[in-house]
Structure formats: C-alpha cells, structure tokens
Amino acid sequence: MSDSRTAGPGPAGSGPDTHRRDGRLRSRRRAAGASIARAVFIAAGLVTAYYLLPLNEQGSVGAATLLACGLLAVVLVFAWEIRVIARSPHPRLKAVEALAATLVLFLVLFAGSYYVLESTTPGSFTEPLNRTDALYFTLTVFSTVGFGDITARSQTGRVMVMLQMTGGLLLVGVAARVLASAVEAGLRRQGPEQPTKPGEPAEAGEPAEPGKPAEPGKPAEPGKPGGTGAGTDTTTPDQEAES
C-alpha cells in the first residue's frame, strides 16, 4: 500500500509557484504596455502642441525666451523623472519612458526655436522654414547626418545650432548614464528576487521568521519527525522487547 506522504511533486506547470510566476509575468506585460502607451501619448502630445501653438506671434526675443524656458523645462522634467525611476516598481520601463519623453521635448524645443527665429528674422537660414522644415532640420542636426540643404546663416542661428549639438551630446551620454544609475538604485531599493525552482514542492510546516537564523545544536521537540537532537527517542518496540 503506497503512502500518500511519499508521493512525488505534482506535474510540471502546476502548483502555487507556477501561478505566482504567471501572475508576475502578466503584471510585467501590463506594465510594459502601459509604459509604451504613455511614451507614445507624450510624444504625440508634444508634436501636436508644436504644430498648434501660435509660435509665429512671438516678438524679436521670442526665440531666445522660448529656448531658455524650454531648456529649464527639460532639466526640471529630467530631474523629476529620475526620482520617479528610483521609486518605481518597474525602473527599467520607467527609464525608457523618461528617455523618450525627454528626447521628444528636446527636439520639439529646438524645432520651435528655429521656426520662431526664421519667422521673426527672415534669412537666418538658407531657406525659409515652416514647422515641418524646422523639425526636419532639428532631426538632421541631432542625428549628425547634416545633408547641407538647410544651414544657419545668422550668428544667432549658428549659436542655437551649437547649443543643440552640445545638448544632444549631453543627452546621449550623461543623461543616459544618469538614467542607468537611477535604474540600479530602483532595483537595489526593491531588493533581490528569490528564484523558485520549477516543480519544487513547498516545504511542510510554518515558514521561518525572516532574518532569524536557525540555532545550531538545538534539539527538536519530541514527537516531530526528522529530529536528530538528544531529546528524541529513536528506540523501536522490537529493540525494547529484546532488551
């Protein structure tokens, strides 16, 4: 007659550990989908605002004011995103979302500044710029392609282009490094995950208190199986009869 207590673990893919793993996987997928949706929504909102805002009604100092306020906004948004990443339950996804939002804001900011400069000071570039042309020129400068079809003529335009080049290098190098450090801080804050082996049965009995090590040499209580302490009687009835 077989003893049910000696039966092996259940079939693979079943048990509480499998359900927990499936739950964590579904949670991560939902978080990834939400992060991608937020990044796309932010990028679409910034580009839409770029095309709808009345940038051509700015004054002669509109380009400089827009650029200064926009750069300040980029720094503030980036600092806020670092704090959010460090406290997020999914720091990697949050870092990708933050980098996408910061990059789009940076590009739209310079595109708007170029458009305002050309609108208030015609001839600042080799050809008149509309909003699409300004965004196109911003992307060519950021990607270091430099087709040469549009270039800055005025001193103000060239200074703005140099600022974009410097900001792009900082964004790619320093900002990415800072975001990686924020991700590491968020992972350390969560603590290491305890992996579970598939198909491993749960141990019987109550779980031990966290952080409390087992006391070496302490005998097990009488009546509990598996005890090897001095207080455990291992004499069988046959041995007692022989003695």
Side-chain angles (χ1 to χ4, degrees), residues 4 12 81 112 128 144 181 223:
S4 60
E81 291 286 357
T144 66
S181 301

Side-chain angles (χ1 to χ4, degrees), residues 32-46 93 96-101 104:
S35 180
I36 294 174
R38 282 193 300 267
V40 173
F41 178 77
I42 292 173
L46 289 173
L93 296 176
V96 173
E97 179 184 345
L99 185 60
V104 175

Side-chain angles (χ1 to χ4, degrees), residues 9-101:
S14 62
D17 292 340
T18 302
H19 292 299
R20 284 195 295 268
R21 286 194 298 270
D22 293 341
R24 288 194 297 265
L25 182 59
R26 287 193 294 268
S27 177
R28 291 175 182 174
R29 287 177 178 174
R30 287 194 296 266
S35 180
I36 294 174
R38 282 193 300 267
V40 173
F41 178 77
I42 292 173
L46 289 173
V47 174
T48 303
Y50 165 73
Y51 276 98
L52 295 180
L53 289 177
L55 300 177
N56 53 354
E57 297 180 3
Q58 303 293 329
S60 58
V61 294
T65 304
L66 176 64
L67 185 59
C69 295
L71 289 176
L72 179 61
V74 170
V75 173
L76 293 177
V77 169
F78 186 73
W80 177 74
E81 291 286 357
I82 291 175
R83 292 176 58 87
V84 173
I85 291 170
R87 300 181 180 183
S88 173
H90 304 284
R92 294 187 181 94
L93 296 176
K94 199 63 182 179
V96 173
E97 179 184 345
L99 185 60

Side-chain angles (χ1 to χ4, degrees), residues 13 15 27 37 51 132-133 152 174 200 202 210 230 237:
S27 177
Y51 276 98
T132 303
D133 295 335
V174 179
E200 181 180 358

Side-chain angles (χ1 to χ4, degrees), residues 208-214:
E209 297 180 7
K212 183 177 180 181

